[in-house]
Amino acid sequence: MPLFDDYAMAGRTYRYLVEPPLYPFGHGLSYTRFHYSHLRLDAPEIKPAGQVRISVDVTNSGARAGDEVVQIYVSYPGSAVARPIKELKGFHR
């Protein structure tokens, strides 16, 4: 789905949600738990139009088999232009 930055979406999508969601993405879809650890970035900051490689260890810490989709969200604090509070930038199963 393409970005929809050309019209006001404040209050209509997670990208502009200020309070915690009642049911966050993925809520209730698993019968196990996952533990995230050792978050690593290959650079301390991202330059404009730059990239950073992110890695994390994910462990099934529950009693049942499961499948997890890791998601990465970014924000732009102090941006001179109006930006979403958070924006999904990537995911990996």
Side-chain angles (χ1 to χ4, degrees):
M1 183 172 186
L3 289 176
F4 40 81
D5 292 333
D6 61 337
Y7 57 95
M9 290 302 293
R12 299 181 185 192
T13 172
Y14 76 90
R15 297 171 69 199
Y16 298 92
L17 187 64
V18 176
E19 63 276 348
L22 182 58
Y23 298 104
F25 182 78
H27 178 83
L29 298 179
S30 182
Y31 292 100
T32 191
R33 290 180 309 279
F34 294 93
H35 177 74
Y36 289 64
S37 61
H38 304 108
L39 176 67
R40 299 170 300 279
L41 308 174
D42 72 351
E45 67 179 53
I46 304 171
K47 305 286 186 203
Q51 295 182 356
V52 64
R53 181 175 290 272
I54 302 169
S55 57
V56 64
D57 296 336
V58 181
T59 306
N60 182 343
S61 58
R64 298 179 182 262
D67 190 31
E68 179 72 327
V69 177
V70 177
Q71 303 167 46
I72 184 74
Y73 292 86
V74 298
S75 62
Y76 305 89
S79 176
V81 269
R83 299 294 311 227
I85 294 169
K86 64 181 176 181
E87 187 174 335
L88 178 65
K89 281 296 184 180
F91 58 92
H92 188 74
R93 182 172 300 281

